[in-house]
Amino acid sequence: MTGMKETLRRAGLAMAQLGKGAGLALVSYLFMALLLFTAFVTLLVVGAAVLPETVQLLRRTAGFKRRLVGTWTGRPVPEAYAPLTGDVRERVTAALKDPCTWRDLRWLFVHFVYGLVLLYVAIPLFVLGVLVDGVWCGLLRQRAVLLPLVAGLAGLDARWSRVLLTPSPDARRSAELAERVEELTVTRAGAVAAHGAELRRIERDLHDGTQARLVSLSMRVGLARRAFDKDPDAARRLLDDAQDQAEEALTELRHVVRGIHPPILTDRGLAGAVRALAAGSGLDVTVAAEGVEDPAGEAVRAPAAVEAAAYFVVAEALTNAAKHSGSARAFVDLSRAAGVLRVVVRDEGRGGADDAGGSGLLGMRRRVAALDGTLELTSPVGGPTVIEVELPCAW
């Protein structure tokens, strides 16, 4: 009886699968009318903007079928569409030149036939199978004969749909290339924005800090020169003040330079620089550096741009943890893999961090994206907050 129940359950699922396919076939019938309308208004030119929208709807229809097939077989059906971006002319051209548009159209017309036919065959087969296999399998304890055929029809529908909807290797490569170009375009825009923000920060720091101190230093030296003959003591005091101003200006300049490329990275490498950050963060930070330095403590150097990005990610993450997490502890893990530098920063604080919380996380994402890296933030309410960064790196 257990075998009969399982066979009946499987046949019921197959009927549901075929029913959804038949419903989609009926939708395809209505879609054909929409295609005729789209072709007509496109030929009139004034309605050309309708074509890309119709293609998008066609893609969503085919995507629904792909998900049905993937759910039934346990293997997803790939898709490789060219993006429909730009003005109306560019979108129309991309839609017409995309081979997957014509593949989806072929599937649409063929599926209208086999989607309905398979259901019409499956319905009487299912009813007859319940009666025959109910006696043959349920009472006589024999193997079911008819109900498995219903599942076979669902499998046949899935195989035909997979063949019709799977893009060719050339189409997949073209779509991946187009997606990559679009991703790099967004990344470049983010890198340009981050670079502009960094230049403005440096300009602001120089204007508000170093420049003001140098102006004050120049004024004191000028006053000291005028007072040197008449009042040497006053001139000496002014020179002492000027010396203090010069030292403060040097401190400001060092701060600006550290914001561009920290000298400690050059001197001590990434692992040493991160340990220095940890020591000055105000938190109890544990630093692990697997593969980033050899057992003798010598740094294994990554390219300067990669080290700088990793350093600033750790610096920003520890600053955020100290300010907002409420945790007294943090953990930093630097690890080396084939072609990748991996950075993980974790704190046990209150969590709830997101990109909308300030410019820090957005700046980190832009800095990482500029090097074609990835940043993943996990910060549920209640913690912990984990930032995982991977930076491509030629060691």
Side-chain angles (χ1 to χ4, degrees), residues 19-364:
K20 293 175 183 177
L24 194 59
L26 292 176
V27 172
S28 301
Y29 179 75
L30 299 176
F31 204 94
M32 292 175 193
L34 177 61
L35 288 174
L36 291 175
F37 170 77
T38 301
F40 176 72
V41 297
T42 301
L43 289 175
L44 294 179
V45 179
V46 294
V50 177
L51 178 63
E53 301 305 323
T54 303
V55 171
Q56 291 283 23
L57 184 59
L58 175 61
R59 290 179 176 184
R60 286 192 285 269
T61 305
F64 179 74
K65 184 61 178 181
R66 284 187 176 92
R67 289 191 294 273
L68 285 179
V69 174
T71 302
W72 180 256
T73 62
R75 295 185 297 115
V77 181
E79 61 180 38
Y81 294 119
L84 302 182
T85 56
D87 57 26
V88 173
R89 182 176 180 178
E90 290 172 341
R91 297 179 70 204
V92 170
T93 302
L96 293 176
K97 287 186 175 181
D98 185 4
C100 289
T101 299
W102 305 103
R103 181 175 289 272
D104 287 352
L105 282 173
R106 182 181 64 180
W107 163 81
L108 186 75
F109 286 101
V110 176
H111 180 260
F112 172 70
V113 177
Y114 74 78
L116 292 175
V117 169
L118 290 178
L119 180 66
Y120 291 152
V121 174
I123 290 175
L125 189 62
F126 179 78
V127 174
L128 187 62
V130 171
L131 296 176
V132 173
D133 288 341
V135 176
W136 182 254
C137 180
L139 297 180
L140 301 180
R141 308 293 183 182
Q142 300 297 319
R143 184 184 297 275
V145 176
L146 297 180
L147 287 178
L149 297 179
V150 178
L153 290 175
L156 184 63
D157 172 82
R159 287 194 296 274
W160 286 351
S161 298
R162 181 180 294 276
V163 170
L164 290 170
L165 289 173
T166 299
S168 65
D170 290 341
R172 294 180 66 178
R173 283 193 294 269
S174 298
E176 290 170 358
L177 179 59
E179 182 179 358
R180 181 61 174 158
V181 169
E182 185 175 4
E183 178 185 346
L184 289 176
T185 300
V186 174
T187 299
R188 184 183 63 182
V192 170
H195 179 66
E198 187 71 8
L199 287 178
R200 289 191 295 273
R201 182 192 67 80
I202 294 171
E203 181 182 12
R204 185 175 59 252
D205 289 346
L206 290 174
H207 181 273
D208 297 343
T210 308
Q211 179 176 299
R213 297 190 186 282
L214 290 175
V215 169
S216 178
L217 169 63
S218 177
M219 291 175 62
R220 279 172 170 75
V221 171
L223 291 173
R225 187 173 59 182
R226 291 191 187 97
F228 185 78
D229 294 329
K230 299 178 181 178
D231 191 352
D233 292 334
R236 188 176 296 109
R237 288 193 299 271
L238 288 170
L239 288 173
D240 290 339
D241 290 342
Q243 183 177 8
D244 293 338
Q245 291 288 336
E247 292 174 354
E248 291 174 359
L250 286 172
T251 302
E252 292 284 349
L253 281 174
R254 292 191 188 99
H255 177 74
V256 173
V257 169
R258 282 197 297 271
I260 301 172
H261 186 84
I264 193 171
L265 274 176
T266 303
D267 298 337
R268 299 174 57 181
L270 181 59
V274 168
R275 288 194 175 94
L277 273 178
S281 67
L283 300 173
D284 181 10
V285 183
T286 301
V287 178
E290 181 181 352
V292 183
E293 57 183 5
D294 61 27
E298 295 294 329
V300 180
R301 304 305 298 266
V306 174
E307 284 192 341
Y311 176 88
F312 284 117
V313 164
V314 174
E316 184 66 32
L318 292 180
T319 299
N320 290 342
K323 288 182 177 179
H324 308 298
S325 72
S327 173
R329 293 182 55 83
F331 175 79
V332 179
D333 178 47
L334 307 173
S335 58
R336 172 186 176 184
V340 172
L341 171 64
R342 190 165 184 266
V343 181
V344 179
V345 184
R346 174 190 177 102
D347 69 69
E348 303 295 335
R350 60 177 63 95
D354 56 42
D355 289 355
S359 60
L361 284 170
L362 180 59
M364 291 163 62

